[in-house]
Amino acid sequence: MSEQNRTIRHEAEQNRYVLEVDGQEAGFASYVPSEGVRDFDHTVVDPAFRGQGLSSPLIKFALDDTREQNLKIRPSCSAVEHFLNKNEDYRDLAV
């Protein structure tokens, strides 16, 4: 699978970021918004797409977009917490 077949978009009205692979929804990262903070509470990669390293680009995109909006995060989801532990340049986003 090549990266050009991946797209990630923010579905703000559903409070989630969606990853598509070849036009199919492969996963999402959802959050609960509150006063300047997005509580990332759930990250899911569809079983058909697991093992392809898709959660990291999805979380990275979501955190980069959150940073651009001058918001902070709460990593309630273990996948987001794991990402922060491995990528110290994102730790400043956490409250």
Side-chain angles (χ1 to χ4, degrees):
M1 177 186 66
S2 62
E3 279 197 45
Q4 56 266 36
N5 297 325
R6 298 180 193 174
T7 58
I8 303 172
R9 70 179 179 282
H10 184 200
E11 292 182 345
E13 52 289 336
Q14 279 86 30
N15 299 323
R16 68 186 201 147
Y17 290 85
V18 176
L19 168 69
E20 287 187 353
V21 176
D22 294 329
Q24 290 187 288
E25 185 174 312
F28 66 89
S30 64
Y31 62 89
V32 177
S34 69
E35 301 233 2
V37 177
R38 288 181 176 161
D39 183 351
F40 281 90
D41 62 345
H42 203 54
T43 302
V44 174
V45 174
D46 185 282
F49 294 95
R50 289 189 185 149
Q52 299 178 33
L54 298 176
S55 63
S56 287
L58 172 60
I59 293 168
K60 181 182 183 314
F61 183 95
L63 298 186
D64 286 343
D65 187 62
T66 299
R67 186 188 306 274
E68 286 178 20
Q69 295 181 40
N70 293 316
L71 299 171
K72 294 287 189 180
I73 69 155
R74 182 168 292 114
S76 295
C77 168
S78 61
V80 175
E81 183 177 24
H82 182 72
F83 182 89
L84 290 178
N85 288 337
K86 291 181 87 173
N87 298 277
E88 81 178 49
D89 49 330
Y90 286 90
R91 291 183 194 153
D92 64 305
L93 288 173
V95 293

Coordinates of all heavy atoms in Angstrom, one line a residue:
M1 N 0.8 -1.2 0.0 CA 0.0 0.0 0.0 C 0.9 1.2 0.0 O 1.8 1.4 0.8 CB -0.9 0.0 1.2 CG -1.7 1.2 1.4 SD -2.6 1.3 2.9 CE -1.3 1.4 4.0
S2 N 0.7 2.1 -0.9 CA 1.4 3.3 -1.0 C 0.7 4.5 -0.3 O -0.5 4.5 -0.2 CB 1.7 3.7 -2.5 OG 0.5 3.9 -3.1
E3 N 1.5 5.4 0.2 CA 0.9 6.5 0.9 C 0.0 7.4 0.1 O -1.0 8.0 0.6 CB 2.0 7.4 1.5 CG 2.6 6.9 2.7 CD 3.4 7.9 3.5 OE1 2.9 9.0 3.7 OE2 4.5 7.5 4.0
Q4 N 0.2 7.5 -1.2 CA -0.7 8.3 -2.0 C -2.2 7.8 -2.0 O -3.1 8.5 -2.4 CB -0.2 8.5 -3.4 CG 0.0 7.3 -4.2 CD 1.5 6.8 -4.1 OE1 2.1 6.9 -3.1 NE2 2.0 6.2 -5.2
N5 N -2.4 6.6 -1.5 CA -3.8 6.1 -1.5 C -4.4 6.4 -0.1 O -5.5 5.9 0.1 CB -3.7 4.5 -1.7 CG -3.2 4.2 -3.0 OD1 -3.5 4.9 -4.0 ND2 -2.5 3.1 -3.1
R6 N -3.7 7.1 0.7 CA -4.2 7.5 2.1 C -4.7 8.9 2.1 O -4.0 9.8 1.5 CB -3.2 7.4 3.1 CG -2.6 6.0 3.3 CD -1.5 6.1 4.4 NE -0.8 4.8 4.5 CZ 0.3 4.7 5.2 NH1 0.7 5.6 6.0 NH2 0.9 3.5 5.2
T7 N -5.8 9.2 2.7 CA -6.3 10.5 3.0 C -6.8 10.6 4.4 O -7.3 9.6 4.9 CB -7.4 11.0 2.0 OG1 -8.5 10.1 2.1 CG2 -6.9 11.0 0.6
I8 N -6.5 11.7 5.0 CA -7.0 12.0 6.4 C -7.7 13.3 6.3 O -7.3 14.3 5.8 CB -5.8 12.0 7.4 CG1 -5.0 10.8 7.3 CG2 -6.4 12.3 8.8 CD1 -3.7 10.8 8.2
R9 N -8.9 13.3 6.9 CA -9.7 14.5 7.0 C -10.3 14.7 8.4 O -10.5 13.8 9.1 CB -10.8 14.5 6.0 CG -11.9 13.5 6.2 CD -13.0 13.5 5.2 NE -14.0 12.5 5.5 CZ -13.9 11.2 5.3 NH1 -12.9 10.7 4.7 NH2 -14.9 10.4 5.7
H10 N -10.6 16.0 8.7 CA -11.2 16.3 10.0 C -12.7 16.4 9.7 O -13.1 17.2 8.9 CB -10.6 17.6 10.5 CG -11.1 18.0 11.8 ND1 -11.0 19.3 12.3 CD2 -11.7 17.3 12.8 CE1 -11.5 19.4 13.5 NE2 -11.9 18.2 13.9
E11 N -13.4 15.7 10.4 CA -14.9 15.8 10.4 C -15.3 16.5 11.7 O -15.6 15.9 12.7 CB -15.6 14.4 10.3 CG -15.3 13.7 9.0 CD -16.0 12.4 8.9 OE1 -16.5 11.8 9.9 OE2 -16.1 11.9 7.8
A12 N -15.2 17.8 11.7 CA -15.4 18.6 12.9 C -16.7 18.4 13.5 O -16.9 18.4 14.8 CB -15.1 20.1 12.6
E13 N -17.8 18.3 12.7 CA -19.1 18.1 13.2 C -19.3 16.8 14.0 O -20.2 16.7 14.8 CB -20.2 18.3 12.1 CG -20.0 17.5 10.9 CD -18.9 17.9 9.9 OE1 -18.4 19.0 9.9 OE2 -18.4 17.0 9.2
Q14 N -18.5 15.8 13.7 CA -18.5 14.5 14.4 C -17.4 14.4 15.4 O -17.2 13.4 16.0 CB -18.4 13.3 13.4 CG -19.7 13.0 12.7 CD -19.9 13.8 11.5 OE1 -19.0 14.2 10.8 NE2 -21.2 14.0 11.2
N15 N -16.6 15.5 15.5 CA -15.4 15.5 16.5 C -14.5 14.3 16.3 O -14.2 13.5 17.2 CB -15.9 15.5 18.0 CG -16.8 16.7 18.3 OD1 -16.5 17.8 17.8 ND2 -17.8 16.5 19.1
R16 N -14.1 14.1 15.0 CA -13.2 13.0 14.7 C -12.3 13.3 13.5 O -12.7 14.1 12.6 CB -13.9 11.7 14.6 CG -14.8 11.6 13.4 CD -15.6 10.3 13.4 NE -16.0 10.0 12.0 CZ -16.2 8.8 11.5 NH1 -15.9 7.8 12.3 NH2 -16.6 8.6 10.3
Y17 N -11.2 12.6 13.4 CA -10.4 12.6 12.2 C -10.5 11.2 11.6 O -10.5 10.2 12.3 CB -8.9 12.9 12.6 CG -8.7 14.3 13.1 CD1 -8.9 14.7 14.4 CD2 -8.3 15.2 12.1 CE1 -8.7 16.0 14.8 CE2 -8.1 16.6 12.5 CZ -8.3 16.9 13.9 OH -8.1 18.2 14.2
V18 N -10.7 11.2 10.3 CA -10.9 9.9 9.6 C -9.8 9.7 8.6 O -9.4 10.5 7.8 CB -12.3 10.0 8.8 CG1 -12.5 8.7 8.0 CG2 -13.4 10.2 9.8
L19 N -9.3 8.4 8.6 CA -8.3 8.0 7.7 C -9.0 7.1 6.7 O -9.7 6.1 7.0 CB -7.2 7.2 8.4 CG -6.2 6.4 7.6 CD1 -5.3 7.3 6.8 CD2 -5.4 5.5 8.5
E20 N -8.8 7.4 5.4 CA -9.3 6.5 4.3 C -8.1 5.9 3.6 O -7.1 6.6 3.3 CB -10.1 7.3 3.3 CG -11.5 7.7 3.9 CD -12.4 8.3 2.8 OE1 -11.9 8.6 1.7 OE2 -13.6 8.5 3.2
V21 N -8.2 4.7 3.2 CA -7.2 4.0 2.3 C -8.0 3.5 1.1 O -9.0 2.8 1.2 CB -6.6 2.8 3.1 CG1 -5.6 2.0 2.1 CG2 -5.8 3.3 4.3
D22 N -7.6 3.9 -0.1 CA -8.2 3.6 -1.3 C -9.7 3.8 -1.3 O -10.5 3.0 -1.7 CB -7.9 2.1 -1.7 CG -6.5 1.8 -2.0 OD1 -5.8 2.8 -2.5 OD2 -6.0 0.7 -1.7
G23 N -10.1 5.0 -0.7 CA -11.5 5.3 -0.6 C -12.4 4.7 0.5 O -13.5 4.9 0.6
Q24 N -11.8 3.8 1.2 CA -12.5 3.1 2.3 C -12.0 3.7 3.7 O -10.9 3.9 3.9 CB -12.2 1.6 2.3 CG -12.7 0.8 1.2 CD -12.5 -0.7 1.4 OE1 -11.4 -1.1 1.3 NE2 -13.5 -1.4 1.7
E25 N -13.0 3.8 4.6 CA -12.7 4.3 5.9 C -11.9 3.2 6.6 O -12.4 2.1 6.8 CB -13.9 4.6 6.7 CG -13.6 5.2 8.1 CD -14.8 5.7 8.8 OE1 -15.6 6.4 8.3 OE2 -14.9 5.3 10.0
A26 N -10.6 3.5 6.9 CA -9.8 2.5 7.6 C -9.6 2.7 9.1 O -9.3 1.8 9.8 CB -8.4 2.6 6.9
G27 N -9.9 3.9 9.5 CA -9.8 4.2 11.0 C -10.2 5.6 11.3 O -10.5 6.5 10.4
F28 N -10.3 5.9 12.6 CA -10.6 7.3 13.0 C -10.0 7.5 14.4 O -9.8 6.6 15.2 CB -12.1 7.5 13.0 CG -12.9 6.7 14.0 CD1 -13.1 7.2 15.3 CD2 -13.4 5.5 13.7 CE1 -13.8 6.4 16.3 CE2 -14.1 4.7 14.6 CZ -14.3 5.2 15.9
A29 N -9.9 8.8 14.7 CA -9.5 9.2 16.1 C -10.5 10.2 16.5 O -10.7 11.3 15.8 CB -8.1 9.9 16.1
S30 N -11.3 9.9 17.6 CA -12.3 10.8 18.0 C -11.9 11.6 19.3 O -11.0 11.2 20.0 CB -13.6 10.0 18.3 OG -13.4 9.1 19.3
Y31 N -12.6 12.7 19.5 CA -12.3 13.5 20.6 C -13.5 14.2 21.2 O -14.5 14.3 20.5 CB -11.2 14.6 20.3 CG -11.7 15.6 19.2 CD1 -12.3 16.7 19.5 CD2 -11.4 15.3 17.9 CE1 -12.8 17.6 18.6 CE2 -11.8 16.2 16.9 CZ -12.5 17.4 17.2 OH -12.9 18.2 16.3
V32 N -13.4 14.6 22.4 CA -14.5 15.4 23.1 C -13.9 16.8 23.3 O -12.9 16.9 24.0 CB -14.9 14.8 24.4 CG1 -15.9 15.6 25.1 CG2 -15.4 13.3 24.2
P33 N -14.5 17.8 22.7 CA -14.0 19.2 22.8 C -14.5 19.8 24.1 O -15.6 19.6 24.6 CB -14.6 19.9 21.6 CG -15.9 19.2 21.3 CD -15.7 17.7 21.7
S34 N -13.6 20.6 24.7 CA -14.0 21.4 25.9 C -13.0 22.5 26.0 O -11.8 22.3 25.7 CB -14.1 20.6 27.2 OG -12.8 20.2 27.6
E35 N -13.4 23.7 26.4 CA -12.6 24.9 26.5 C -11.1 24.8 26.2 O -10.3 24.6 27.1 CB -12.7 25.4 28.0 CG -14.2 25.7 28.3 CD -14.4 27.0 28.9 OE1 -13.4 27.8 29.0 OE2 -15.5 27.3 29.2
G36 N -10.8 24.9 24.9 CA -9.4 24.9 24.5 C -8.7 23.6 24.5 O -7.5 23.5 24.3
V37 N -9.4 22.5 24.8 CA -8.8 21.1 24.9 C -9.6 20.1 24.1 O -10.9 20.2 24.1 CB -8.7 20.7 26.4 CG1 -8.2 19.3 26.5 CG2 -7.9 21.7 27.2
R38 N -8.9 19.3 23.4 CA -9.6 18.1 22.7 C -9.2 16.9 23.5 O -8.0 16.6 23.6 CB -9.1 18.0 21.3 CG -9.7 19.1 20.4 CD -9.3 18.9 19.0 NE -10.0 19.9 18.1 CZ -9.5 20.2 16.9 NH1 -8.5 19.6 16.4 NH2 -10.2 21.1 16.2
D39 N -10.1 16.2 24.1 CA -9.8 15.0 24.8 C -9.9 13.8 23.8 O -11.0 13.4 23.5 CB -10.9 14.8 25.9 CG -10.6 13.6 26.8 OD1 -9.7 12.7 26.4 OD2 -11.2 13.4 27.8
F40 N -8.8 13.4 23.3 CA -8.8 12.3 22.4 C -9.0 11.0 23.1 O -8.2 10.5 23.9 CB -7.4 12.2 21.6 CG -7.4 13.2 20.5 CD1 -6.9 14.5 20.7 CD2 -7.8 12.9 19.2 CE1 -6.8 15.4 19.7 CE2 -7.8 13.8 18.2 CZ -7.3 15.1 18.5
D41 N -10.2 10.5 23.0 CA -10.7 9.4 23.8 C -10.8 8.0 23.1 O -11.0 7.0 23.7 CB -12.1 9.7 24.4 CG -13.1 9.9 23.4 OD1 -12.8 10.1 22.2 OD2 -14.3 10.0 23.8
H42 N -10.6 8.0 21.8 CA -10.8 6.7 21.1 C -10.1 6.8 19.7 O -10.4 7.7 18.9 CB -12.3 6.5 20.9 CG -12.7 5.1 20.7 ND1 -12.4 4.1 21.6 CD2 -13.4 4.5 19.7 CE1 -12.9 2.9 21.2 NE2 -13.5 3.1 20.0
T43 N -9.3 5.8 19.4 CA -8.6 5.7 18.1 C -8.9 4.2 17.7 O -8.6 3.3 18.4 CB -7.1 5.9 18.2 OG1 -6.9 7.3 18.7 CG2 -6.5 5.8 16.8
V44 N -9.4 4.1 16.5 CA -9.8 2.8 16.0 C -9.2 2.6 14.6 O -9.3 3.5 13.7 CB -11.3 2.6 15.9 CG1 -11.7 1.3 15.2 CG2 -11.9 2.7 17.3
V45 N -8.6 1.5 14.3 CA -8.2 1.1 13.0 C -9.0 -0.2 12.7 O -8.9 -1.2 13.5 CB -6.7 0.9 12.8 CG1 -6.3 0.3 11.4 CG2 -5.9 2.2 13.0
D46 N -9.7 -0.2 11.6 CA -10.5 -1.4 11.2 C -9.6 -2.6 11.1 O -8.5 -2.5 10.6 CB -11.1 -1.1 9.8 CG -12.1 -2.2 9.4 OD1 -11.6 -3.2 8.9 OD2 -13.3 -2.0 9.5
P47 N -10.1 -3.8 11.6 CA -9.3 -5.0 11.6 C -8.7 -5.3 10.2 O -7.6 -5.8 10.1 CB -10.3 -6.1 12.0 CG -11.3 -5.3 12.9 CD -11.4 -4.0 12.2
A48 N -9.4 -5.0 9.1 CA -8.9 -5.3 7.8 C -7.6 -4.5 7.5 O -6.9 -4.8 6.5 CB -10.0 -5.0 6.8
F49 N -7.4 -3.4 8.2 CA -6.3 -2.5 7.9 C -5.2 -2.5 9.0 O -4.2 -1.8 8.9 CB -6.8 -1.1 7.7 CG -7.6 -0.9 6.5 CD1 -9.0 -1.0 6.6 CD2 -7.1 -0.7 5.2 CE1 -9.8 -0.8 5.5 CE2 -7.9 -0.6 4.1 CZ -9.3 -0.6 4.2
R50 N -5.4 -3.3 10.0 CA -4.4 -3.3 11.1 C -3.1 -3.9 10.6 O -3.0 -4.7 9.7 CB -4.9 -4.1 12.3 CG -6.0 -3.4 13.0 CD -6.5 -4.0 14.2 NE -7.6 -3.3 14.7 CZ -8.6 -3.8 15.5 NH1 -8.6 -5.1 15.8 NH2 -9.6 -3.1 15.9
G51 N -2.0 -3.5 11.3 CA -0.7 -4.0 11.0 C 0.0 -3.3 9.9 O 1.1 -3.7 9.4
Q52 N -0.6 -2.2 9.5 CA 0.0 -1.4 8.3 C 0.5 -0.1 8.8 O 0.9 0.8 8.0 CB -1.1 -1.2 7.3 CG -1.6 -2.5 6.7 CD -2.7 -2.3 5.6 OE1 -2.7 -1.3 4.9 NE2 -3.7 -3.2 5.6
G53 N 0.6 0.1 10.1 CA 1.2 1.4 10.6 C 0.3 2.6 10.3 O 0.9 3.7 10.1
L54 N -1.0 2.4 10.4 CA -1.9 3.5 10.1 C -2.3 4.4 11.2 O -2.6 5.6 11.0 CB -3.2 3.0 9.4 CG -3.0 2.2 8.1 CD1 -4.3 1.7 7.7 CD2 -2.4 3.1 7.1
S55 N -2.2 3.9 12.5 CA -2.6 4.8 13.6 C -1.6 6.0 13.8 O -2.1 7.1 14.1 CB -2.7 4.0 14.9 OG -1.5 3.4 15.3
S56 N -0.4 5.8 13.6 CA 0.6 6.9 13.8 C 0.3 8.1 12.9 O 0.3 9.2 13.3 CB 2.0 6.4 13.7 OG 2.4 5.7 14.8
P57 N 0.2 7.9 11.5 CA -0.1 9.0 10.7 C -1.4 9.7 11.0 O -1.5 10.9 10.9 CB 0.0 8.5 9.3 CG 0.2 7.0 9.3 CD 0.4 6.7 10.8
L58 N -2.4 8.9 11.4 CA -3.7 9.4 11.8 C -3.6 10.3 13.0 O -4.0 11.5 13.0 CB -4.7 8.3 12.0 CG -6.0 8.7 12.6 CD1 -6.8 9.6 11.7 CD2 -6.8 7.4 12.9
I59 N -2.9 9.8 14.0 CA -2.7 10.6 15.2 C -1.9 11.8 15.0 O -2.2 12.9 15.5 CB -2.2 9.7 16.4 CG1 -3.2 8.7 16.8 CG2 -1.7 10.5 17.6 CD1 -2.7 7.5 17.6
K60 N -0.8 11.7 14.2 CA 0.1 12.8 13.9 C -0.7 13.9 13.2 O -0.6 15.1 13.6 CB 1.2 12.4 13.1 CG 2.2 13.5 12.7 CD 3.3 13.0 11.8 CE 4.4 14.0 11.5 NZ 3.9 15.3 11.1
F61 N -1.5 13.6 12.2 CA -2.3 14.5 11.5 C -3.3 15.3 12.5 O -3.4 16.5 12.5 CB -3.1 13.9 10.4 CG -3.9 14.8 9.6 CD1 -3.4 15.3 8.4 CD2 -5.2 15.2 10.0 CE1 -4.2 16.2 7.6 CE2 -5.9 16.1 9.2 CZ -5.4 16.6 8.0
A62 N -3.9 14.5 13.3 CA -4.9 15.1 14.3 C -4.2 16.0 15.3 O -4.7 17.1 15.5 CB -5.6 13.9 15.1
L63 N -3.0 15.6 15.8 CA -2.3 16.5 16.7 C -1.7 17.7 16.0 O -1.7 18.8 16.6 CB -1.2 15.7 17.4 CG -1.7 14.5 18.3 CD1 -0.5 13.9 19.1 CD2 -2.8 14.9 19.2
D64 N -1.2 17.6 14.8 CA -0.7 18.7 14.0 C -1.9 19.7 13.8 O -1.7 20.9 14.0 CB -0.1 18.3 12.7 CG 1.2 17.6 12.9 OD1 1.9 17.8 13.9 OD2 1.7 17.0 11.9
D65 N -3.0 19.2 13.4 CA -4.2 20.1 13.2 C -4.6 20.8 14.5 O -4.9 22.0 14.5 CB -5.3 19.3 12.6 CG -6.5 20.2 12.1 OD1 -6.3 21.1 11.3 OD2 -7.6 20.0 12.7
T66 N -4.6 20.0 15.6 CA -5.0 20.6 16.9 C -4.0 21.7 17.3 O -4.4 22.8 17.7 CB -5.0 19.5 17.9 OG1 -6.0 18.5 17.5 CG2 -5.3 20.0 19.3
R67 N -2.7 21.5 17.0 CA -1.7 22.5 17.3 C -1.9 23.8 16.5 O -1.8 24.9 17.0 CB -0.3 22.0 17.1 CG 0.8 22.9 17.5 CD 2.2 22.5 17.1 NE 2.6 21.1 17.5 CZ 3.1 20.8 18.6 NH1 3.4 21.7 19.5 NH2 3.5 19.6 18.9
E68 N -2.2 23.6 15.2 CA -2.5 24.7 14.3 C -3.6 25.6 14.8 O -3.7 26.8 14.5 CB -2.7 24.3 12.9 CG -1.5 23.8 12.2 CD -1.7 23.3 10.8 OE1 -2.8 23.6 10.2 OE2 -0.9 22.6 10.3
Q69 N -4.6 24.9 15.5 CA -5.7 25.7 16.0 C -5.5 26.2 17.4 O -6.5 26.7 18.1 CB -7.0 24.8 16.0 CG -7.3 24.4 14.5 CD -8.5 23.5 14.4 OE1 -9.5 23.7 15.1 NE2 -8.5 22.6 13.5
N70 N -4.3 26.1 17.9 CA -3.9 26.6 19.2 C -4.7 26.0 20.3 O -5.1 26.6 21.3 CB -4.0 28.2 19.3 CG -3.0 28.8 18.4 OD1 -1.8 28.4 18.4 ND2 -3.4 29.8 17.6
L71 N -4.9 24.7 20.2 CA -5.6 23.9 21.2 C -4.7 23.0 21.9 O -3.6 22.6 21.4 CB -6.8 23.1 20.6 CG -7.9 24.0 19.9 CD1 -8.8 23.1 19.1 CD2 -8.6 24.8 20.9
K72 N -5.1 22.5 23.0 CA -4.3 21.5 23.8 C -5.1 20.1 23.7 O -6.2 20.1 23.2 CB -4.2 21.8 25.3 CG -3.3 23.1 25.5 CD -1.9 22.8 25.2 CE -1.0 23.9 25.7 NZ 0.4 23.6 25.4
I73 N -4.4 19.1 24.1 CA -5.1 17.7 24.1 C -5.0 17.1 25.5 O -4.2 17.4 26.3 CB -4.4 16.8 23.1 CG1 -3.0 16.4 23.5 CG2 -4.4 17.4 21.7 CD1 -2.5 15.1 22.9
R74 N -5.9 16.2 25.6 CA -5.9 15.2 26.8 C -5.8 13.9 26.1 O -6.8 13.5 25.4 CB -7.1 15.4 27.7 CG -7.1 14.5 28.9 CD -8.2 14.9 29.9 NE -7.9 16.2 30.5 CZ -8.6 17.3 30.3 NH1 -9.7 17.3 29.5 NH2 -8.3 18.4 30.8
P75 N -4.8 13.1 26.4 CA -4.7 11.8 25.8 C -5.4 10.7 26.5 O -4.7 9.8 27.1 CB -3.2 11.6 25.7 CG -2.7 12.3 26.9 CD -3.6 13.5 27.1
S76 N -6.7 10.6 26.5 CA -7.4 9.6 27.2 C -7.3 8.3 26.5 O -7.4 7.2 27.1 CB -8.9 10.0 27.4 OG -9.0 11.1 28.2
C77 N -7.1 8.3 25.2 CA -6.9 7.1 24.4 C -5.5 6.6 24.6 O -4.5 7.3 24.5 CB -7.2 7.4 23.0 SG -6.8 6.1 21.8
S78 N -5.4 5.2 24.8 CA -4.0 4.7 25.0 C -3.2 4.8 23.8 O -1.9 5.0 23.9 CB -4.2 3.2 25.4 OG -4.8 2.4 24.4
A79 N -3.7 4.8 22.6 CA -2.9 5.0 21.3 C -2.3 6.4 21.3 O -1.2 6.5 20.9 CB -3.8 4.7 20.1
V80 N -3.1 7.4 21.6 CA -2.6 8.7 21.6 C -1.5 8.9 22.7 O -0.5 9.5 22.5 CB -3.7 9.8 21.8 CG1 -3.2 11.2 21.9 CG2 -4.7 9.7 20.6
E81 N -1.8 8.3 23.9 CA -0.8 8.4 25.0 C 0.5 7.7 24.5 O 1.6 8.2 24.8 CB -1.4 7.7 26.2 CG -0.4 7.8 27.4 CD -1.0 7.2 28.6 OE1 -1.9 6.3 28.5 OE2 -0.6 7.6 29.7
H82 N 0.4 6.6 23.9 CA 1.6 5.8 23.4 C 2.3 6.7 22.3 O 3.6 6.8 22.4 CB 1.1 4.5 22.8 CG 2.3 3.7 22.3 ND1 3.2 3.0 23.1 CD2 2.7 3.4 21.0 CE1 4.1 2.4 22.4 NE2 3.8 2.6 21.1
F83 N 1.6 7.4 21.5 CA 2.2 8.2 20.5 C 3.0 9.3 21.1 O 4.1 9.6 20.8 CB 1.1 8.8 19.5 CG 1.7 9.7 18.5 CD1 2.0 9.2 17.2 CD2 1.8 11.1 18.6 CE1 2.6 10.0 16.2 CE2 2.4 11.9 17.7 CZ 2.7 11.3 16.4
L84 N 2.4 10.0 22.2 CA 3.1 11.0 22.9 C 4.4 10.5 23.6 O 5.4 11.2 23.6 CB 2.2 11.6 24.0 CG 1.0 12.5 23.5 CD1 0.2 13.0 24.6 CD2 1.5 13.6 22.6
N85 N 4.3 9.3 24.1 CA 5.5 8.7 24.8 C 6.6 8.5 23.8 O 7.8 8.6 24.2 CB 5.1 7.4 25.5 CG 4.3 7.7 26.7 OD1 4.3 8.7 27.3 ND2 3.5 6.6 27.1
K86 N 6.3 8.2 22.5 CA 7.3 7.9 21.5 C 7.8 9.2 20.8 O 8.8 9.2 20.1 CB 6.8 6.9 20.5 CG 6.6 5.5 21.1 CD 6.1 4.5 20.1 CE 7.3 4.0 19.4 NZ 7.0 2.9 18.4
N87 N 7.0 10.3 20.9 CA 7.2 11.5 20.1 C 7.2 12.7 21.0 O 6.2 13.4 21.1 CB 6.2 11.6 19.0 CG 6.2 10.5 18.0 OD1 7.0 10.5 17.1 ND2 5.3 9.5 18.2
E88 N 8.4 12.9 21.6 CA 8.4 14.0 22.7 C 8.1 15.4 22.1 O 7.7 16.2 22.9 CB 9.7 13.9 23.4 CG 10.9 14.6 22.8 CD 12.1 14.5 23.7 OE1 12.4 13.4 24.2 OE2 12.7 15.6 23.9
D89 N 8.2 15.6 20.8 CA 8.0 16.9 20.3 C 6.4 17.3 20.3 O 6.0 18.4 20.0 CB 8.6 17.1 18.9 CG 8.3 16.0 18.0 OD1 8.1 14.9 18.4 OD2 8.2 16.3 16.7
Y90 N 5.6 16.3 20.7 CA 4.2 16.5 20.8 C 3.7 16.6 22.2 O 2.5 17.0 22.5 CB 3.4 15.4 20.1 CG 3.5 15.5 18.6 CD1 4.5 14.9 17.8 CD2 2.5 16.3 17.9 CE1 4.5 15.0 16.5 CE2 2.6 16.4 16.5 CZ 3.6 15.7 15.8 OH 3.7 15.9 14.4
R91 N 4.6 16.3 23.2 CA 4.2 16.3 24.6 C 3.7 17.7 25.1 O 2.9 17.7 26.0 CB 5.3 15.8 25.4 CG 5.6 14.3 25.2 CD 6.7 13.8 26.1 NE 7.1 12.5 25.6 CZ 8.3 12.0 25.8 NH1 9.2 12.6 26.5 NH2 8.6 10.8 25.3
D92 N 4.2 18.7 24.5 CA 3.8 20.1 24.9 C 2.3 20.3 24.7 O 1.7 21.2 25.3 CB 4.6 21.2 24.2 CG 4.4 21.2 22.7 OD1 4.5 20.1 22.1 OD2 4.0 22.3 22.2
L93 N 1.6 19.5 23.9 CA 0.2 19.7 23.6 C -0.7 19.2 24.8 O -1.8 19.6 24.9 CB -0.2 18.9 22.3 CG 0.2 19.5 21.0 CD1 -0.1 18.5 19.9 CD2 -0.4 20.8 20.8
A94 N -0.1 18.2 25.6 CA -0.9 17.6 26.6 C -1.1 18.5 27.8 O -0.2 19.3 28.2 CB -0.2 16.3 27.1
V95 N -2.3 18.4 28.4 CA -2.6 19.2 29.6 C -2.6 18.2 30.8 O -2.8 17.0 30.6 CB -4.0 19.9 29.5 CG1 -3.9 21.0 28.5 CG2 -5.1 19.0 29.2

